[in-house]
Amino acid sequence: RRRTVREKGALPNEQISPADGLLALIQTMAEVNVEKFYERLNKIHAHFVRHSESTWHGAECLSIDKGASDEDNQYLKSTIIHHYLFGYELPDTVVLLTKDGQCVILAAKKKCAFLKPAVDQVPSKGSVKSLKLLTKCKEDNNEANIDTMVGIIQGGNAENAEPLKVGVLLKEYKTNTSHKEGSNIAAWEGRIRNAGDIEVVDVAGGISVVMAVKDQEELDMLKKSSVLSNKVLKHGFVPKMEDIIDNSTAVTHEKLATDVDAIIEDPSKINLNVPTENVETCYFPIIQSGGTYDFRISATSNTDNVKFDVITVALGARYQLYCSNIVRTFLVDAPKAVTKTYDVLIGMHEACMKSMVPGKPLKHVYASAIKFLRDEGREDLVSCLPKNLGSSVGLDFRDGNLLLNSKNTVQIKAGMVFNLACSFGGLKLSEKDKAGLNDNSAIKSLSEFGLMIADTVVVKSSDGGADLLTKMGKHATDISYTINEDHDDGDDDDESEESDDGDRELAKKIAKEEETRPTGGRRSNRLA
């Protein structure tokens, strides 16, 4: 769950009576993790100083402005940065960071008290040299505080002919015009907007680059988050899907997604002992089948019933606010045209993972996907690729500055974590492709389908490549089901009819062993 200063156990609730206020402040107030705060602040500052003219667009100082808490947008960049630096969201707070290492924070009294332990513990070896807290002053509407901040960023160069470039989160800055009158953000940004000698530049990209490389604590959180996503899919979604298939139950995509979402929010439903306050869903699960597929993260699980053909499921869990993602496609009674294309998708996904070499640009991943398809003689699938193959993931689920597309020049670095999402959309299924299918197979009615797989992966060190964090199997033997026996499809492949029969008998045997396994675990007719 998002942690804000109003949350019980973090900072005192504003409902506390004045008489009990001081005692409550002492007893319930959390303190900022000083060591982590400076480690991460120095990481941002050092990169800012080294790359100010390029990545940071010539900014002379950074102004990270966090407005009111927005429950409808949990991935605001300012919110992400606050969790990264402070471990909590501090609404209506300005963090000012200058090139010469001065950090000034304008906030309400309780938030300043939360940050106070860091004031006298500035590390001597870091590039950040000082921390100054300015407490909100209602009497003069923050006039003195704002004057102090302007004086600090001007650094004695008030007569400079060139406008002073202040780095802001431009997307939020542009929408911050309706902040509550009297708030810290309204006072500070109002001064900036009305100053003729200040120019704002966007530094969201710089923040993204710095936060993309995860420290060990973050990697641990992401591994746990990935395990959660993996287990929810394997022990939550799959058994429910198999029950639906085995019993020919009519269940809507939306209902099944709701059931899966409930498992993410309460992992005890699949016997995982994880405190519910530490977990939440990244987005409402997306389950699709029946020939209509939208692989954008904005897609929804509709109210159509699940069809037993090509079923895709996308879900993401958040653990201690760190996001992970996993997508799998399940094939029911799939003809060879579908399974062969699926195998190509698997190969492309593996090629993308191998291409994640430190020093290469992000666009190298997309180029590697296209190269793989061409090398496999499947250039026809290039047009079926999405515009990007995922993005950096962490506290932010989808960082728009770090997309795995054909143009991104940001360099890959060890310790970066990505949601690698590979898909083919708008695939055609001809009558010839379906000729050998049983008339009862739902997939026989499809004329178009899509395939998608996604995993959370971490870039390894100098040897290159990426490691899987979401490890549920995705090869054809892991995701294929047979519920209706095929007719002879007359395929003119080199495989003989005898060989097909032998494979089918082996699949039946393995499926039977799965159903009668002494552990009591029940499975559908999963192919070997």
Side-chain angles (χ1 to χ4, degrees), residues 99-129:
K99 264 189 179 180
D100 62 1
Q102 297 182 74
C103 181
V104 182
I105 299 179
L106 172 62
K109 183 177 180 180
K110 292 175 184 177
K111 294 155 195 170
C112 287
F114 168 73
L115 296 167
K116 188 176 180 181
V119 173
D120 298 323
Q121 298 186 53
V122 181
S124 58
K125 295 183 179 180
S127 59
V128 175
K129 302 302 180 183

Side-chain angles (χ1 to χ4, degrees), residues 66 73 128 155 187 192 243 247 270 280 282 303 316 328 395 408 415 447 456 470:
K66 177 72 192 82
N73 192 347
V128 175
I192 292 178
D243 282 343
N247 297 308
I270 53 172
E280 61 185 313
C282 295
T303 55
R328 291 292 182 267
L395 286 167
N408 203 323
S447 59
T456 306
T470 45

Side-chain angles (χ1 to χ4, degrees), residues 356-378:
M356 290 182 170
V357 178
K360 295 286 187 180
L362 295 185
K363 65 180 182 179
H364 178 62
V365 178
Y366 200 92
S368 297
I370 294 176
K371 182 179 185 302
F372 175 83
L373 294 178
R374 288 174 175 163
D375 290 347
E376 291 292 308
R378 294 303 306 269

Side-chain angles (χ1 to χ4, degrees), residues 222-242:
L222 283 161
K223 287 176 183 177
K224 291 175 181 177
S225 175
S226 297
V227 168
L228 179 58
S229 288
N230 198 75
K231 289 188 176 293
V232 170
L233 181 58
K234 185 175 182 178
H235 301 296
F237 172 80
V238 170
K240 288 181 179 294
M241 179 190 68
E242 290 178 345

Side-chain angles (χ1 to χ4, degrees), residues 125-405:
K125 295 183 179 180
S127 59
V128 175
K129 302 302 180 183
S130 66
L131 173 64
K132 183 180 182 66
L133 302 179
L134 298 177
T135 303
K136 179 179 181 179
C137 182
K138 295 181 180 180
E139 284 72 17
D140 68 348
N141 196 27
N142 270 325
E143 192 71 25
N145 286 332
I146 302 304
D147 287 343
T148 298
M149 294 166 70
V150 170
I152 289 173
I153 65 174
Q154 287 179 336
N157 295 319
E159 303 302 323
N160 195 333
E162 294 294 324
L164 178 72
K165 291 186 177 181
V166 175
V168 299
L169 304 175
L170 195 59
K171 185 177 180 180
E172 294 181 39
Y173 180 83
K174 287 180 177 179
T175 60
N176 282 352
T177 55
S178 59
H179 278 298
K180 183 179 178 182
E181 186 177 352
S183 68
N184 293 324
I185 301 300
W188 170 241
E189 291 190 352
R191 178 70 70 88
I192 292 178
R193 293 178 201 279
N194 294 324
D197 57 350
I198 293 179
E199 175 187 350
V200 296
V201 294
D202 190 16
V203 295
I207 296 290
S208 293
V209 169
V210 174
M211 292 181 62
V213 179
K214 307 300 189 286
D215 58 38
Q216 191 55 54
E217 180 180 329
E218 290 183 290
L219 289 175
D220 289 342
M221 292 298 104
L222 283 161
K223 287 176 183 177
K224 291 175 181 177
S225 175
S226 297
V227 168
L228 179 58
S229 288
N230 198 75
K231 289 188 176 293
V232 170
L233 181 58
K234 185 175 182 178
H235 301 296
F237 172 80
V238 170
K240 288 181 179 294
M241 179 190 68
E242 290 178 345
D243 282 343
I244 291 169
I245 293 173
D246 285 350
N247 297 308
S248 298
T249 309
V251 177
T252 69
H253 299 115
E254 184 180 55
K255 174 62 170 65
L256 183 53
T258 300
D259 291 344
V260 174
D261 191 65
I263 295 172
I264 297 175
E265 296 284 347
D266 182 8
S268 67
K269 294 179 183 291
I270 53 172
N271 300 317
L272 284 181
N273 186 23
V274 182
T276 56
E277 62 268 21
N278 290 344
V279 298
E280 61 185 313
T281 186
C282 295
Y283 58 92
F284 190 71
I286 305 167
I287 299 172
Q288 303 175 87
S289 67
T292 302
Y293 303 92
D294 180 354
F295 296 139
R296 295 172 298 179
I297 198 60
S298 58
T300 58
S301 297
N302 64 31
T303 55
D304 294 341
N305 286 335
V306 176
K307 302 294 191 301
F308 309 151
D309 44 36
V310 177
I311 304 170
T312 64
V313 55
L315 64 89
R318 259 184 136 185
Y319 178 79
Q320 297 279 33
L321 301 177
Y322 280 87
C323 302
S324 59
N325 194 54
I326 187 169
V327 180
R328 291 292 182 267
T329 298
F330 296 90
L331 307 177
V332 184
D333 293 341
K336 288 180 181 177
V338 173
T339 56
K340 285 181 178 179
T341 303
Y342 181 82
D343 286 340
V344 174
L345 181 64
I346 290 290
M348 188 184 80
H349 186 273
E350 292 173 351
C352 288
M353 287 185 62
K354 290 178 183 177
S355 74
M356 290 182 170
V357 178
K360 295 286 187 180
L362 295 185
K363 65 180 182 179
H364 178 62
V365 178
Y366 200 92
S368 297
I370 294 176
K371 182 179 185 302
F372 175 83
L373 294 178
R374 288 174 175 163
D375 290 347
E376 291 292 308
R378 294 303 306 269
E379 187 159 356
D380 59 300
L381 293 174
V382 173
S383 62
C384 299
L385 290 172
K387 292 182 179 179
N388 67 75
L389 300 175
S391 67
S392 173
V393 68
L395 286 167
D396 198 349
F397 177 74
R398 179 184 182 274
D399 194 321
N401 295 302
L402 298 173
L403 296 177
L404 298 172
N405 60 25

